Amino acid sequence: MAAVLLLRCGVRGGRRALRECETLCSRRCLKTSHKLYSAVYDPNEKTFEKLLIANRGEIACRVIKTCKKMGIKTVAIHSDVDANAVHVKMADEAVCVGPAPTSKSYLNMDAIMEVIKKTRAQAVHPGYGFLSENKEFARRLAAEGVTFIGPDTHAIQAMGDKIESKLLAKNAKVNTIPGFDGVVKDADEAVRIAREIGYPVMIKASAGGGGKGMRIAWDDEETREGFRFSSQEAASSFGDDRLLIEKFIDNPRHIEIQVLADKHGNALWLNERECSIQRRNQKVVEEAPSTFLDPETRRAMGEQAVALAKAVKYSSAGTVEFLVDSSKNFYFLEMNTRLQVEHPVTECITGLDLVQEMIRVAKGYPLRHKQADIPINGWAVECRVYAEDPYKSFGLPSIGKLSQYQEPLHVPSVRVDSGIEQGSDISIYYDPMISKLITYGSNRAEALRRMEEALDNYVIRGVTHNISLLREVIIHPRFVQGDISTKFLPEVYPDGFKGHQLTDRERRELLATAASLYVAEQLRSQRFLGTPRIPIAKSKRSSWELSVHLGDGIYPVAVSKDGSSFSVEVDGMKLNVTGEWNLASPLLSITIDGTQRTIQRLSRDASGKTSIQFLGTVVSEGQEICVIEAMKMQNSMIAAKTGKVKAVHCKAGDTVGEGDLLVELE
């Protein structure tokens, strides 16, 4: 029995869309070893006739796909700028709820409630973000007799309040970060408290902030010293020398447990997700399972997560997040009472469709599985693909139209959850996520190899994206070894992300590739529809002496052609480059001395200058030449080609209009 992977299928609504989506999904299914774990859709199990999705983008598309398989009609809501969005096209009905700003559309409860009444939707799935954890929205739905696909208002309230949730966690015997919330009197008491808590500890000012009056202590001596310095700093900085002590989590990992509970008192933990690769406290790469957890720690975390869910009478899919230290001690962070962005990796290793399970639970059905039935079957990795510039603080948003877009679905065991298509706009109004790229393997190494291949084969044009950062993360030795924490990005790239740093071998490969591509283009330009443009002028040329510009260097390269292969001499070494050289395709699969590479030919100007994406990083283009502020947002203007700035026709603070000449390049 197959566990269906829910792939992106940008097709229109209706029966044809369902057939195409089913065909596509069936081609990309992952085999499991036990029939219980397949996502089975029972047509005789009645749930809802019509469901409204109070969201947009990829998560709205994700919910619609499961609803179609369950025979549920769907209603999409959208803002005016999302009128042609993919989720709008996929749904059976779509209604505009307001203008672009979220406060006037996707957060507009009055407008959404009106659509629910108009379309007679029986249930609402909130996705994530927006109104997904809004207890008032859930309350209003309940008052109208509409089912909220999620927990009840009590659970949303309890887990949404950080103080209340921590108290509930303590009462449920869930590990919380230990600490002493009273005022520490002196150094001796500080040592006593630190010993009770367990080293290392954080000593910090009660009235502190900005890192002042804070010290980390690893033993009694450092505690005494830390007490003295912290109290002095606190008094001078805040006029208040009171101190607190709590457990310091060194090199923490962010590991979360997926839970699933019904209205009959049953609850399961569906294993963990490793979410430690983050920037600005937002996850970038996730995987399941974690390389760090042993079976005992996994079970302990799962059982505590279920205990918390039962304590608040939770019913739906939810996630309990933990911080885990280097000794595998784990501490409750928070509970998210909704479907998580990274839920696909859990679906891949368990075979469960979490959206389907949420809908079943909301209708009142009991869970179909027992804890012993939940497997860890293989390994899954998810990369969040964003329209962001990774060279700026690991990712600042980019806007624009997707002029070319091609998902790497031809790569085995790849799933892409997205809500965009070629021609879609990445606007300033919403999250700049392009997609969630997921790969699956029988083990972690296989999943990572497939992810590397998928990233190389992902074609995104028209916006800046973070593919280069994602690729560098998953091939970095520390990541491959599982040596990660929430500090991974700033530790590995202390001066910021700079793109892939070529080794000598990779530099030679790139030079050989560029030279071979140039020659292939020259030969193609001499032919028309497979026939020489001037039949009488037959060229017998088979060798070329070239100079290739790379960075600040100029490298002599000798190329000779033999059939579809090129022999390229670089640095006195010969490399054999072979490929089909289909120059009409954005992707080129080539082999260099037996090593397969997928490159992307991004552009070629009239002078023959070519931009190539090699090992995830764009060569030559993309230097920022000025910044324009529009709609209170700063927008980078990027150089379309490599060159020198000839003249600047504006200055900081000037108002510029469409068509104004700002910068000249030469």
Side-chain angles (χ1 to χ4, degrees):
M1 189 71 72
V4 176
L5 273 181
L6 301 168
L7 297 171
R8 176 188 183 276
C9 187
V11 293
R12 303 298 188 268
R15 293 186 178 181
R16 177 173 175 272
L18 179 57
R19 288 196 302 271
E20 291 182 18
C21 192
E22 286 175 339
T23 300
L24 180 59
C25 290
S26 64
R27 287 202 302 267
R28 299 296 177 190
C29 65
L30 299 180
K31 298 294 182 181
T32 61
S33 59
H34 199 297
K35 63 182 181 180
L36 286 178
Y37 313 139
S38 60
V40 177
Y41 305 94
D42 183 357
N44 297 315
E45 187 177 78
K46 302 302 180 184
T47 53
F48 305 100
E49 292 183 6
K50 186 182 290 187
L51 183 148
L52 181 142
I53 300 97
N55 217 298
R56 65 179 299 278
E58 68 87 11
I59 191 58
C61 295
R62 166 70 187 85
V63 174
I64 290 171
K65 289 172 188 175
T66 289
C67 286
K68 285 183 180 294
K69 290 185 175 296
M70 296 178 72
I72 302 171
K73 293 181 180 179
T74 55
V75 180
I77 62 169
H78 64 89
S79 65
D80 54 6
V81 298
D82 272 347
N84 295 313
V86 173
H87 76 281
V88 172
K89 298 173 183 178
M90 288 181 66
D92 296 292
E93 300 175 58
V95 182
C96 182
V97 288
T102 56
S103 61
K104 298 180 179 179
S105 51
Y106 296 104
L107 292 175
N108 187 342
M109 275 192 260
D110 290 339
I112 295 172
M113 294 300 298
E114 187 63 33
V115 173
I116 293 168
K117 292 178 183 178
K118 177 181 177 181
T119 60
R120 297 183 179 179
Q122 299 168 317
V124 173
H125 197 300
Y128 55 75
F130 293 136
L131 297 172
S132 63
E133 294 178 284
N134 188 301
K135 64 180 184 297
E136 176 61 19
F137 184 53
R139 186 196 63 77
R140 290 184 63 172
L141 290 174
E144 295 293 331
V146 178
T147 302
F148 179 72
I149 309 297
D152 61 22
T153 54
H154 165 70
I156 296 174
Q157 164 67 31
M159 291 297 99
D161 184 294
K162 301 310 177 191
I163 296 176
E164 185 178 354
S165 65
K166 189 170 183 178
L167 290 174
L168 282 167
K170 282 184 177 181
N171 292 335
K173 295 182 169 48
V174 176
N175 298 349
T176 56
I177 298 177
F180 181 76
D181 296 328
V183 177
V184 183
K185 299 176 182 177
D186 53 37
D188 289 337
E189 185 178 38
V191 169
R192 179 182 60 78
I193 292 170
R195 288 176 178 175
E196 291 175 357
I197 294 172
Y199 288 110
V201 297
M202 172 72 77
I203 303 169
K204 59 183 182 181
S206 175
K212 297 177 180 178
M214 297 176 65
R215 288 290 189 280
I216 300 169
W218 294 80
D219 54 36
D220 291 355
E221 183 179 350
E222 290 185 359
T223 299
R224 293 182 184 278
E225 185 179 78
F227 179 88
R228 181 165 61 90
F229 283 121
S230 293
S231 59
Q232 290 172 356
E233 282 185 13
S236 62
S237 298
F238 314 112
D240 186 342
D241 64 358
R242 294 177 302 158
L243 299 178
L244 305 176
I245 298 181
E246 65 182 17
K247 180 75 176 178
F248 173 71
I249 312 300
D250 67 307
N251 292 318
R253 288 173 178 257
H254 185 131
I255 300 178
E256 59 192 29
I257 300 291
Q258 176 71 59
V259 295
L260 182 64
D262 62 23
K263 299 178 186 297
H264 305 277
N266 304 306
L268 304 172
W269 49 273
L270 308 181
N271 304 309
E272 79 278 5
R273 294 187 290 258
E274 172 70 74
C275 306
S276 297
I277 306 299
Q278 304 180 5
R279 53 101 172 88
R280 298 191 299 278
N281 296 315
Q282 188 173 40
K283 301 160 189 171
V284 179
V285 178
E286 302 101 347
E287 60 183 309
S290 169
T291 61
F292 191 61
L293 297 190
D294 53 60
E296 292 75 20
T297 307
R298 176 179 295 114
R299 185 182 305 108
M301 293 176 71
E303 289 174 350
Q304 289 195 17
V306 164
L308 180 59
K310 289 184 174 182
V312 293
K313 296 181 172 57
Y314 196 86
S315 61
S316 192
T319 298
V320 181
E321 300 190 344
F322 293 94
L323 287 181
V324 185
D325 69 17
S326 56
S327 299
K328 296 183 181 176
N329 299 305
F330 59 90
Y331 307 97
F332 170 72
L333 188 60
E334 64 180 357
M335 183 177 189
N336 292 314
T337 57
R338 54 170 169 78
L339 191 64
Q340 291 281 85
V341 176
E342 58 273 16
H343 76 274
V345 292
T346 297
E347 293 182 324
C348 285
I349 68 167
T350 62
L352 296 177
D353 179 337
L354 292 182
V355 173
Q356 179 196 20
E357 298 300 330
M358 293 178 76
I359 293 172
R360 292 186 70 259
V361 166
K363 186 62 177 177
Y365 290 108
L367 298 181
R368 298 177 292 179
H369 307 294
K370 303 296 183 184
Q371 188 63 58
D373 299 330
I374 305 302
I376 295 181
N377 185 16
W379 211 284
V381 179
E382 173 180 292
C383 285
R384 299 192 187 189
V385 181
Y386 282 101
E388 291 182 337
D389 186 345
Y391 301 96
K392 298 177 180 177
S393 301
F394 300 111
L396 292 182
S398 169
I399 59 174
K401 184 184 289 292
L402 290 169
S403 58
Q404 192 171 11
Y405 184 73
Q406 182 177 311
E407 295 174 346
L409 294 176
H410 60 284
V411 178
S413 298
V414 165
R415 165 177 168 175
V416 183
D417 282 16
S418 68
I420 49 87
E421 59 189 354
Q422 187 163 304
S424 292
D425 286 310
I426 306 297
S427 76
I428 64 174
Y429 298 105
Y430 311 116
D431 186 90
M433 179 184 284
I434 294 174
S435 74
K436 300 179 315 198
L437 177 63
I438 306 102
T439 56
Y440 174 86
S442 58
N443 53 51
R444 188 171 187 257
E446 186 175 52
L448 289 177
R449 282 196 302 272
R450 286 174 174 165
M451 180 60 76
E452 184 179 354
E453 183 180 0
L455 290 169
D456 284 343
N457 283 271
Y458 207 148
V459 178
I460 303 171
R461 306 280 192 273
V463 296
T464 304
H465 55 76
N466 68 334
I467 293 283
S468 56
L469 174 62
L470 297 172
R471 193 184 190 282
E472 285 302 294
V473 168
I474 65 161
I475 67 171
H476 194 279
R478 273 189 56 181
F479 183 85
V480 173
Q481 294 164 12
D483 178 18
I484 62 175
S485 73
T486 55
K487 301 176 183 177
F488 179 87
L489 288 178
E491 286 180 352
V492 172
Y493 309 106
D495 299 320
F497 180 64
K498 307 295 183 184
H500 184 76
Q501 304 303 303
L502 295 172
T503 63
D504 287 341
R505 175 185 172 183
E506 291 168 347
R507 178 181 58 81
R508 288 192 293 269
E509 287 183 358
L510 176 54
L511 293 171
T513 299
S516 300
L517 180 59
Y518 174 82
V519 172
E521 289 175 328
Q522 293 299 305
L523 293 173
R524 182 194 186 203
S525 68
Q526 297 173 13
R527 303 184 67 84
F528 180 70
L529 296 178
T531 303
R533 293 175 185 261
I534 307 176
I536 59 173
K538 295 183 178 179
S539 173
K540 295 183 179 180
R541 186 177 182 184
S542 61
S543 63
W544 293 260
E545 298 290 333
L546 306 173
S547 293
V548 180
H549 294 244
L550 178 60
D552 296 328
I554 300 176
Y555 302 88
V557 177
V559 183
S560 59
K561 187 175 186 299
D562 182 14
S564 62
S565 299
F566 294 98
S567 178
V568 185
E569 184 174 337
V570 182
D571 296 343
M573 301 178 65
K574 286 193 175 182
L575 292 83
N576 186 57
V577 184
T578 61
E580 295 183 0
W581 305 109
N582 178 9
L583 303 182
S585 172
L587 296 170
L588 292 175
S589 179
I590 62 173
T591 302
I592 310 168
D593 282 351
T595 301
Q596 192 277 332
R597 301 286 192 195
T598 299
I599 67 168
Q600 297 193 28
R601 179 174 172 270
L602 302 181
S603 65
R604 180 176 184 269
D605 65 19
S607 67
K609 292 182 180 178
T610 298
S611 177
I612 299 172
Q613 182 173 301
F614 181 78
L615 300 179
T617 297
V618 178
V619 179
S620 181
E621 290 184 343
Q623 182 182 358
E624 181 183 281
I625 54 176
C626 72
V627 174
I628 301 172
E629 184 177 286
M631 299 296 291
K632 301 301 182 184
M633 299 280 289
Q634 285 196 340
N635 302 292
S636 294
M637 189 170 78
I638 304 299
K641 64 180 182 180
T642 302
K644 294 182 179 179
V645 176
K646 179 181 179 181
V648 178
H649 298 278
C650 60
K651 62 181 183 296
D654 282 357
T655 299
V656 296
E658 183 177 356
D660 289 356
L661 179 62
L662 305 181
V663 179
E664 287 184 79
L665 298 178
E666 63 179 3

